[in-house]
Amino acid sequence: MRVNGLVPARFLTIIAHMVIVIVILWSREENVIQCLPLNYTADEYNTKDTEMIIGLSVTLGLFVIELIGFIGGISMFMPFQSLLSTAAHASGAVALAFFLFQLWSCDYYWYVFAFCVALPAVGEIMTMIGVAFFRKGL
């Protein structure tokens, strides 16, 4: 089977998206402050900071699941999953770059998470189930 352009593009977009998520995890303080009112308490800050840590950690976990399916060869040559993953992660990388540099409110992260992380991860899990139980890709 010949390697088409979707395979390297998918890998690069997943890695780019993952790197931006790691950078946000390391420097999330300014984004957390954008979620809070002007006069906030330490408890409010800690609550929003914990919310961001959980969201970013779940994101990294879903990246691991998707990379296992991709690098393991389960979904590497499935065009629909590759296209979905490439489009979602490219969009997610661009959106999170704006999130990071323009200091968006941390509430916007959940929209990016739903459409650009959870959607391709669910597709990957469905592909893994389809290959494991039905010997058929999506």
Side-chain angles (χ1 to χ4, degrees):
M1 182 177 283
R2 119 183 137 75
V3 177
N4 60 17
L6 282 178
V7 174
R10 181 178 177 193
F11 178 75
L12 290 174
T13 56
I14 291 172
I15 297 301
H17 194 178
M18 187 169 62
V19 166
I20 292 174
V21 168
I22 291 169
V23 169
I24 291 172
L25 185 62
W26 285 341
S27 62
R28 68 188 176 280
E29 179 180 348
E30 294 298 322
N31 290 99
V32 170
I33 290 173
Q34 290 297 317
C35 296
L36 300 169
L38 290 175
N39 298 320
Y40 60 89
T41 64
D43 190 41
E44 290 173 327
Y45 177 85
N46 290 335
T47 302
K48 284 293 186 181
D49 189 45
T50 303
E51 179 183 320
M52 280 298 294
I53 290 173
I54 290 170
L56 293 167
S57 300
V58 170
T59 299
L60 291 174
L62 291 175
F63 280 143
V64 168
I65 290 171
E66 197 166 351
L67 283 171
I68 287 171
F70 175 68
I71 294 174
I74 296 171
S75 66
M76 184 177 288
F77 299 108
M78 295 184 177
F80 179 75
Q81 180 60 31
S82 292
L83 188 60
L84 172 68
S85 180
T86 302
H89 289 299
S91 301
V94 170
L96 288 183
F98 279 106
F99 177 83
L100 181 63
F101 293 124
Q102 293 187 352
L103 297 177
W104 286 355
S105 171
C106 59
D107 297 328
Y108 292 131
Y109 178 77
W110 296 107
Y111 296 110
V112 175
F113 174 81
F115 293 110
C116 301
V117 178
L119 184 65
V122 167
E124 186 73 33
I125 291 169
M126 288 174 44
T127 301
M128 288 177 170
I129 291 170
V131 168
F133 293 115
F134 305 114
R135 305 280 185 235
K136 181 184 250 190
L138 297 177

